[in-house]
């Protein structure tokens, strides 16, 4: 390759590289724009409710209902009930009649709240986007966090998520959501009331 051809080759590679970075930046910007719209819907002032199913290789499959309001949530399954008021979490285990109190990490919250990604995607994750039929699938990645990968399937028309897959320490958890509805929820819904479980053993893990 003579010098002239070498320069042309170098310029072509450089231009292709710039184009690739430009496309990636546009793709990431669109992914963030979609997530911003989704977060606005999920963060409605009154709150929202939905049905959900959590499945993983370790625990099998569990279904229930969830209510959310900002960063608060209440999840109910046949096996347990979980209240989270933004700081403190109470989990009532039906089989043992125990209530465990904790201050959960972001990773622990994500295992119970399928919408927890709305408070994660702005915290240092790289984003990419692809389209699958009537849905967007957004991929969040980070090598520095316990949750390394998050895949979020979002309906193009409604901007409501239907599936969230998270990878923590090499293991996948899948959260499927349906019947999303806006609601008017009072803050008391996200606090455990000991009067409702007078015989339960309280275990404070904080």
């Amino acid at each position: 390759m003579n010098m002239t051809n070498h320069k042309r080759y170098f310029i072509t590679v450089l231009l292709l590289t710039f184009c690739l970075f430009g496309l990636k930046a546009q793709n990431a910007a669109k992914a963030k724009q979609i997530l911003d719209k989704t977060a606005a819907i999920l963060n409605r002032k009154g709150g929202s409710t939905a049905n959900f199913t959590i499945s993983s290789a370790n625990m099998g499959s569990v279904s229930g209902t969830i209510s959310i309001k900002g960063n608060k949530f209440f999840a109910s399954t046949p096996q347990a009930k979980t209240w989270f008021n933004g700081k403190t979490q109470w989990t009532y285990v039906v089989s043992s009649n125990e209530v465990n109190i904790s201050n959960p990490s972001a990773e622990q919250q994500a295992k119970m709240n399928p919408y927890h990604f709305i408070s994660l995607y702005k915290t240092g994750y790289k984003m990419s986007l692809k389209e699958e039929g009537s849905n967007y699938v957004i991929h969040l990645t980070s090598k520095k966090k316990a949750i390394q990968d998050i895949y979020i399937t979002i309906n193009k028309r409604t901007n409501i998520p239907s599936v969230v897959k998270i990878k923590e320490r090499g293991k996948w958890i899948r959260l499927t959501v349906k019947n999303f509805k806006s609601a008017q929820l009072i803050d008391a819904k996200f606090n455990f009331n000991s009067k409702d479980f007078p015989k339960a053993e309280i275990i404070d893990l904080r």
Side-chain angles (χ1 to χ4, degrees):
M1 184 182 292
N2 59 39
M3 186 61 67
T4 300
N5 288 338
H6 181 77
K7 287 181 179 179
R8 288 175 180 172
Y9 176 78
F10 177 77
I11 292 171
T12 299
V13 171
L14 192 63
L15 289 172
L16 288 173
T17 302
F18 283 141
C19 287
L20 180 61
F21 280 125
L23 289 172
K24 284 186 176 180
Q26 290 177 12
N27 185 276
K30 186 175 181 180
K32 184 180 182 302
Q33 184 181 48
I34 293 166
L35 286 175
D36 286 341
K37 291 180 180 178
T38 298
I41 293 172
L42 298 181
N43 282 324
R44 284 171 174 161
K45 187 176 181 180
S48 308
T49 62
N51 299 103
F52 73 93
T53 298
I54 299 178
S55 58
S56 71
N58 290 339
M59 67 180 183
S61 180
V62 178
S63 297
T65 60
I66 188 166
S67 301
I68 62 169
K69 186 178 181 181
N71 66 339
K72 306 176 182 71
F73 74 90
F74 168 66
S76 178
T77 72
Q79 295 81 11
K81 298 180 186 295
T82 300
W83 299 258
F84 180 68
N85 65 5
K87 178 183 178 181
T88 303
Q89 179 172 294
W90 299 263
T91 300
Y92 172 69
V93 182
V94 175
S95 61
S96 60
N97 197 30
E98 295 176 349
V99 177
N100 295 311
I101 307 175
S102 63
N103 293 329
S105 66
E107 291 77 24
Q108 290 168 330
Q109 291 178 51
K111 292 177 183 178
M112 280 302 299
N113 182 1
Y115 296 127
H116 185 61
F117 70 84
I118 63 175
S119 61
L120 290 178
Y121 77 94
K122 294 180 181 180
T123 62
Y125 281 90
K126 294 182 179 180
M127 305 182 193
S128 62
L129 168 72
K130 66 178 181 179
E131 299 185 29
E132 292 184 357
S134 60
N135 297 312
Y136 296 113
V137 178
I138 295 175
H139 185 199
L140 308 182
T141 60
S142 175
K143 295 181 179 179
K144 298 180 180 180
K145 298 181 181 292
I147 297 180
Q148 302 142 353
D149 290 277
I150 307 174
Y151 286 92
I152 308 159
T153 302
I154 298 174
N155 184 276
K156 292 179 180 178
R157 181 178 58 83
T158 65
N159 278 107
I160 294 173
S162 59
V163 179
V164 180
K165 291 171 58 182
I166 64 174
K167 185 179 184 182
E168 182 190 18
R169 297 179 179 89
K171 297 179 180 179
W172 286 98
I173 299 173
R174 178 185 176 93
L175 303 102
T176 304
V177 188
K178 59 182 180 180
N179 299 328
F180 177 89
K181 297 177 182 177
S182 59
Q184 293 296 322
L185 305 173
I186 60 174
D187 289 341
K189 186 175 183 67
F190 308 100
N191 288 289
F192 171 75
N193 188 343
S194 59
K195 293 180 180 179
D196 295 332
F197 303 87
K199 296 183 179 180
E201 180 183 359
I202 308 298
I203 301 173
D204 197 330
L205 302 174
R206 291 173 291 182

